[in-house]
Amino acid sequence: MSRKYVIINSDEVDSVDFNQVDETNESTLRFSLDGSLTFVKFDSDTTPPFLDGKTQYSHSEVIDILATEEWTPPINL
């Protein structure tokens, strides 16, 4: 079993069953800079039903995604 990550639209947060993911509630979610996306993670071989059909990412894949300008502000030196 390995941890999986799924990016969802912010308007889907109401459908998240926080008993089936590692986050405890909406306030523990990280959102994209424009607030349109967030993600959840889970450690089960069974995908929670509300995430069926959505793309699942590995840890290294989601780290690469979160490093983009969509998720992380540029560093001003």
Side-chain angles (χ1 to χ4, degrees):
M1 173 172 57
S2 63
R3 181 167 283 180
K4 298 171 186 83
Y5 300 79
V6 177
I7 296 172
I8 61 172
N9 292 319
S10 298
D11 60 4
E12 296 176 273
V13 170
D14 289 342
S15 70
V16 173
D17 180 348
F18 287 100
N19 293 314
Q20 296 182 8
V21 295
D22 291 350
E23 293 73 24
T24 55
N25 57 51
E26 184 175 350
S27 69
T28 61
L29 296 172
R30 177 178 171 183
F31 288 86
S32 60
L33 295 180
D34 68 4
S36 67
L37 300 171
T38 188
F39 68 94
V40 294
K41 55 189 173 290
F42 61 97
D43 291 315
S44 173
D45 289 329
T46 304
T47 301
F50 64 92
L51 296 174
D52 278 344
K54 300 198 177 293
T55 303
Q56 297 181 12
Y57 299 96
S58 68
H59 182 258
S60 62
E61 290 171 325
V62 84
I63 290 297
D64 287 343
I65 292 167
L66 297 178
T68 66
E69 290 181 6
E70 186 172 17
W71 291 88
T72 303
I75 297 173
N76 295 323
L77 299 176

